[in-house]
């Protein structure tokens, strides 16, 4: 397929990416349009407040319908201004005006939550006939999926007064423990040997050293981090005990009508059933020997018997010149974008057009700058229904992959842009479908075009690192967290018990593929301390295997694939994962067969990696 080169306003061979243009949303933070949106938002919230007063008796359905429409309008404005502030602050965290705007928005978020809470309660608690009447309104009918999903858990609701009490107390309860952890992680320093001298540095900085190419450096960073956390093991374990204890107590309180389990909330939020989760973990267990083999091969490439926990983010080893290695040269942004357009275009020409359009409309920020926030993300403006991609592009191969990943998210939102707002949000389990799909397309093209063995090794290496992270590390985290909840139901756990529990979870999954476990991982991993969400682990495993499953269908579905793919993406906000798989992939997620087909495709990739190492004489 021939593709037009991308015409964007920048020097052809410049490495760094372009700056995005946000002026089509608002000229500036102090612009009239922005002020008008906030004024309108205030009016809408005020109107909703007055409607809340008649929220009972015969007029309840009418009030609920009016409030729902007000909520949709208000949330569009709030999200639009919020995205604008967030985008500005990502590029320059010191921007005073944007900081002030963000502060102002905090009050709006709180007010928004308070104003519409009675509506949420009404929708959950009303009887079926009332809800049928409520959903009969043509503007509200599209939200049926969300409404009915929320009502499935209505039996967990406490009284309005109790919910309000729990909400109030949780700020200085569960959320305070989460904040304590974040503050600790942000202020903790550790001692790390760099070169010949010991340096004091923050945890984040030491963490970055764990992706160093230098063996000793990675190990020194890991030792430093663990020593720092060990010194705080009492306060950290108190935090973990409090967070899990709070959730268990809440589960008990919410079990008045029907017994609930600590896995009910996370699976419901991810729109998967407990049976699907069980199937997923059974499949991961069956794939364990394959993942362990990948980990052992990676260790072998470094000339080691087994990797240490400090090696999990090690880069591909650099081959000597004789083995086909060469100095890395940065890839200009335009070249990366053209490559992504080529790869996306293999599925359908319109996908290549989309990639080019993102650049032409200046919807991507790939600049570098001292005050830019780290990381990459995709966001979107609710009013114009247009996506934006943010990253720092410096020309490395991983930057091409990151760009492909974020453009996948952007594509997902693009194909959903004409849907009602109530059908646009999806659970984390399906959120990574389009991004991982885009990433895999680009990785496969890079592999096809790899000029030498070093490039091949770099790409396959990242694949193997992802495979072991998703199929060994994530299940180990899940196993630890599940065991934690079960044991915590009896009594709080001592730091040594948490270490033992983490050690056994690591040994169970990594086996002898790892030289030693990471006993302090319960303290060093932020994900266990997110007070808003529990089990921030299995959705990663689901997303990884599900998106590869979709990718594997590409060949089999032939010319029909593109239409099927877009239909699948468009349904992510209005169906459960099981229903989506049934309808668009003719697959049953509670059956191992669908997942095992993906594991088979991964087995071929591990074999390719082994062959490459053999060819290199490793
Ligand atoms: Zn993503």
């Amino acid at each position: 397929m021939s593709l037009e080169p991308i015409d964007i306003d920048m020097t052809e061979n410049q490495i760094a990416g372009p700056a995005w243009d946000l002026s089509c949303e608002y000229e500036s933070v102090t612009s009239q349009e922005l002020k008008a949106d906030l004024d309108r938002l205030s009016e809408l919230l005020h109107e909703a407040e007055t409607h809340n007063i008649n929220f009972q008796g015969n007029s309840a359905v009418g009030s609920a319908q009016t409030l729902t429409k007000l909520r949709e309008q208000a949330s569009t404005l709030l999200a639009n201004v919020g995205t604008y502030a967030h985008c500005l602050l990502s590029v320059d965290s010191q921007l005073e005006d944007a900081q002030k705007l963000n502060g102002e928005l905090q009050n709006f978020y709180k007010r928004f939550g308070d104003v519409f809470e009675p509506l949420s309660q009404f929708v959950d608690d009303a009887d079926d006939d009332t809800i049928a009447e409520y959903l009969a309104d043509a503007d509200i009918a599209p939200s049926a999926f969300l409404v009915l999903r929320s009502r499935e858990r209505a039996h967990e609701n406490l009284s309005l007064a109790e919910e309000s009490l729990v909400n109030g107390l949780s700020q200085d309860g569960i959320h305070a423990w989460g904040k304590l952890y974040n503050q600790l992680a942000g202020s903790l320093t550790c001692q790390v040997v760099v070169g010949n001298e010991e340096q004091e540095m923050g945890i984040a900085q030491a963490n970055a050293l764990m992706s160093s190419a230098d063996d000793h450096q990675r190990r020194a960073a890991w030792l430093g981090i663990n020593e720092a956390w060990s010194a705080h093991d009492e306060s950290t374990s108190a935090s973990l005990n409090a967070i899990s204890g709070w959730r268990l107590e809440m589960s008990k309180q919410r079990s008045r009508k029907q017994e609930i389990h600590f896995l009910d909330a996370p699976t419901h939020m991810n729109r998967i059933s407990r049976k699907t989760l069980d199937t997923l973990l059974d499949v991961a267990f069956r794939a364990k020997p394959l993942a362990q083999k990948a980990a052992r091969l990676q260790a072998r490439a470094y000339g080691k018997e087994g990797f240490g926990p400090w090696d999990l983010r090690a880069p591909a080893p650099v081959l000597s010149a004789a083995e086909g290695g060469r100095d890395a040269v940065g890839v200009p942004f335009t070249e990366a974008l053209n490559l992504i357009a080529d790869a996306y275009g293999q599925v359908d020409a319109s996908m290549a057009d989309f990639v080019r359009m993102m650049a032409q409309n200046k919807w991507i920020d790939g600049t570098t700058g001292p005050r830019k926030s780290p990381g990459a993300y995709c966001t979107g403006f609710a009013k114009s229904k247009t996506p934006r991609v943010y990253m720092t592009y410096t020309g490395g191969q991983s930057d091409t992959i990151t760009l492909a990943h974020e453009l996948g998210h952007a594509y997902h939102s693009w194909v959903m842009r004409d849907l009602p707002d109530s059908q646009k949000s999806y659970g984390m389990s399906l959120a990574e479908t389009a991004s991982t799909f885009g990433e895999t397309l680009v990785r496969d093209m890079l592999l096809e075009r790899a000029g030498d063995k070093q490039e091949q090794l770099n790409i396959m290496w990242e694949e193997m690192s992802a495979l072991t992270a998703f199929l060994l590390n994530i299940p180990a985290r899940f196993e630890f967290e599940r065991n934690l909840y079960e044991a915590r139901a009896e009594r709080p756990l001592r730091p040594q018990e948490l270490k033992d529990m983490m050690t056994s979870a690591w040994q169970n999954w990594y086996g002898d593929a790892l030289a030693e476990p990471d006993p302090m991982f319960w303290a060093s991993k932020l994900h266990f301390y997110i007070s808003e969400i529990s089990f921030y682990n299995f959705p990663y495993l689901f997303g990884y295997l599900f998106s590869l499953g979709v990718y594997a269908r590409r060949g089999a579905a032939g010319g029909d694939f593109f239409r099927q793919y877009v239909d699948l993406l468009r349904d992510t906000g209005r169906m459960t994962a099981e229903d989506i798989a049934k309808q668009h992939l003719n697959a049953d997620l509670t059956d191992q067969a669908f997942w095992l087909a993906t594991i088979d495709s991964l087995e071929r990739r591990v074999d390719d990696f082994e062959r490459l190492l053999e060819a290199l004489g490793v």
Side-chain angles (χ1 to χ4, degrees):
M1 189 177 314
S2 79
L3 292 161
E4 296 298 313
I6 295 156
D7 172 33
I8 46 174
D9 187 19
M10 59 188 299
T11 327
E12 192 55 26
N13 287 319
Q14 190 183 321
I15 297 285
W20 57 21
D21 179 11
L22 304 176
S23 66
C24 30
E25 297 299 325
Y26 302 108
E27 274 302 331
S28 70
V29 174
T30 51
S31 69
Q32 275 310 312
E33 310 103 279
L34 197 148
K35 191 179 172 303
D37 276 359
L38 287 183
D39 288 348
R40 178 79 190 120
L41 174 61
S42 224
E43 277 168 35
L44 290 166
L45 292 176
H46 182 71
E47 207 182 325
E49 271 154 5
T50 54
H51 263 280
N52 267 337
I53 300 164
N54 348 325
F55 210 158
Q56 41 192 237
N58 292 338
S59 59
V61 170
S63 292
Q65 288 168 334
T66 308
L67 278 165
T68 303
K69 291 170 198 177
L70 289 171
R71 183 172 63 185
E72 194 158 317
Q73 291 176 53
S75 91
T76 301
L77 293 172
L78 188 54
N80 214 66
V81 181
T83 302
Y84 183 63
H86 180 64
C87 286
L88 290 176
L89 287 169
S90 307
V91 177
D92 183 353
S93 54
Q94 309 289 310
L95 221 55
E96 278 299 314
D97 279 350
Q99 292 280 13
K100 282 183 201 149
L101 175 62
N102 227 3
E104 206 180 328
L105 287 173
Q106 295 310 312
N107 294 330
F108 276 111
Y109 291 130
K110 180 161 188 319
R111 202 171 145 205
F112 183 94
D114 290 345
V115 168
F116 294 110
E117 179 55 29
L119 173 64
S120 306
Q121 289 265 345
F122 167 83
V123 166
D124 280 357
D125 298 341
D127 59 52
D128 289 348
D129 289 345
T130 308
I131 287 301
E133 197 186 330
Y134 165 74
L135 287 173
D137 184 307
D139 290 334
I140 295 171
S143 66
F145 173 75
L146 276 192
V147 167
L148 300 178
R149 281 292 285 175
S150 177
R151 284 168 64 77
E152 277 173 21
R153 289 181 68 201
H155 60 86
E156 295 181 16
N157 289 351
L158 306 175
S159 71
L160 201 55
E162 285 172 318
E163 288 291 355
S164 150
L165 182 68
V166 169
N167 247 336
L169 291 177
S170 64
Q171 292 309 318
D172 287 319
I174 184 168
H175 299 314
W177 290 105
K179 262 181 232 139
L180 169 73
Y181 178 86
N182 282 337
Q183 276 156 357
L184 200 55
S187 58
L188 207 58
T189 57
C190 56
Q191 305 292 328
V192 180
V193 181
V194 180
N196 289 324
E197 56 166 334
E198 195 166 83
Q199 286 182 16
E200 186 174 332
M201 60 179 76
I203 295 285
Q205 201 185 343
N207 212 8
L209 290 177
M210 300 246 288
S211 5
S212 154
D214 175 4
D215 249 7
H216 295 287
Q217 189 59 85
R218 290 195 304 276
R219 184 159 187 275
W222 181 77
L223 287 172
I225 290 170
N226 280 0
E227 203 178 311
W229 281 115
S230 294
H232 291 273
D233 62 355
E234 287 290 354
S235 45
T236 316
S237 67
S239 172
L240 194 58
N241 276 307
I243 290 172
S244 48
W246 177 286
R247 290 203 180 109
L248 287 165
E249 178 59 24
M250 283 313 301
S251 289
K252 207 155 94 190
Q253 294 294 336
R254 293 185 184 284
S255 291
R256 289 172 198 170
K257 291 182 190 144
Q258 189 180 318
E259 180 84 23
I260 62 169
H261 189 268
F262 55 78
L263 279 168
D264 287 350
T267 45
H268 189 271
M269 206 179 79
N270 281 285
R271 296 181 187 164
I272 65 171
S273 67
R274 288 283 299 282
K275 195 164 174 221
T276 296
L277 176 62
D278 290 344
T279 309
L280 186 66
L281 285 152
D282 287 346
V283 166
F285 197 80
R286 281 181 69 171
K288 208 164 73 168
L290 176 70
Q292 289 180 353
K293 179 181 171 186
R296 270 190 225 101
L297 287 170
Q298 283 193 299
R300 199 169 93 193
Y302 263 92
K304 296 179 175 192
E305 273 296 309
F307 258 6
W310 52 87
D311 292 324
L312 300 180
R313 279 172 25 230
V318 177
L319 305 171
S320 67
E323 288 167 326
R326 59 175 170 83
D327 288 342
V329 187
V331 178
F333 180 83
T334 316
E335 202 179 309
L337 203 68
N338 276 319
L339 181 117
I340 295 168
D342 281 358
Y344 273 46
Q346 286 182 328
V347 180
D348 192 78
S350 63
M351 285 182 73
D353 293 341
F354 168 79
V355 170
R356 276 188 244 119
M357 178 197 72
M358 285 294 292
Q360 272 151 3
N361 289 349
K362 299 195 168 77
W363 288 347
I364 304 172
D365 195 282
T367 53
T368 56
R371 299 207 289 216
K372 272 190 88 163
S373 306
Y377 64 81
C378 170
T379 184
F381 285 102
K383 278 171 73 184
S384 62
K385 304 177 199 293
T386 55
R388 295 291 186 285
V389 160
Y390 172 89
M391 69 176 296
T392 297
Y393 185 88
T394 56
Q397 195 171 61
S398 64
D399 288 344
T400 302
I401 301 287
T402 302
L403 184 58
H405 179 101
E406 299 307 333
L407 283 170
H409 283 305
Y411 186 70
H412 193 166
S413 70
W414 186 249
V415 299
M416 292 175 92
R417 69 191 180 285
D418 60 317
L419 297 176
D421 287 347
S422 58
Q423 297 186 358
K424 280 183 186 167
S425 61
Y426 33 79
M428 188 185 162
S429 59
L430 292 169
E432 297 301 329
T433 308
S435 54
T436 311
F437 183 87
E439 224 184 275
T440 314
L441 276 172
V442 168
R443 210 172 256 147
D444 279 355
M445 179 161 274
L446 279 170
L447 201 55
E448 218 173 88
R449 294 184 179 178
D452 56 38
K453 292 213 159 51
Q454 180 72 57
E455 272 182 39
Q456 283 177 25
L457 181 64
N458 292 348
I459 299 155
M460 288 192 188
W461 184 268
E462 280 207 32
E463 258 179 18
M464 293 303 117
S465 299
L467 190 153
T468 55
F470 287 119
L471 289 173
L472 297 176
N473 202 285
I474 294 287
R477 292 181 205 179
F478 175 84
E479 182 177 315
F480 166 80
E481 194 163 355
R482 195 194 53 208
N483 291 344
L484 165 70
Y485 278 87
E486 276 163 9
R488 177 65 182 85
E490 304 298 318
R491 61 172 170 81
L493 295 155
R494 299 293 303 142
Q496 186 57 48
E497 291 175 299
L498 293 167
K499 284 185 211 171
D500 293 344
M501 202 177 263
M502 188 54 89
T503 297
S504 93
W506 275 59
Q507 280 167 345
N508 187 23
W509 286 91
Y510 281 99
D512 64 1
L514 214 58
E516 56 180 280
D518 194 355
M520 285 305 288
F521 196 59
W522 60 271
S524 61
K525 191 71 211 169
L526 164 89
H527 290 182
F528 298 122
Y529 298 84
I530 303 175
S531 58
E532 290 84 6
I533 317 171
S534 62
F535 289 90
Y536 198 71
N537 34 55
F538 70 79
Y540 282 105
L541 172 62
F542 182 101
Y544 174 69
L545 291 180
F546 183 78
S547 57
L548 289 180
V550 174
Y551 188 80
R553 299 286 168 121
R554 222 182 106 205
D560 227 17
F561 176 78
F562 174 66
R563 191 188 49 78
Q564 281 177 18
Y565 178 57
V566 171
D567 287 349
L568 182 153
L569 293 181
R570 281 173 65 83
D571 279 341
T572 47
R574 55 189 176 197
M575 280 189 186
T576 62
E578 286 87 1
D579 287 348
I580 285 181
K582 196 172 292 166
Q583 175 147 342
H584 299 291
L585 305 171
N586 192 25
D588 178 3
L589 296 186
T590 62
D591 188 277
Q592 293 196 5
F594 167 76
W595 306 100
L596 288 175
T598 303
I599 301 296
D600 279 349
S601 71
L602 288 173
E603 195 166 348
R604 289 193 291 279
R605 289 180 185 251
V606 174
D607 288 346
D608 288 346
F609 181 61
E610 188 174 24
R611 266 194 294 277
L612 177 67
L613 293 186
E614 271 160 19
L616 291 167
V618 178

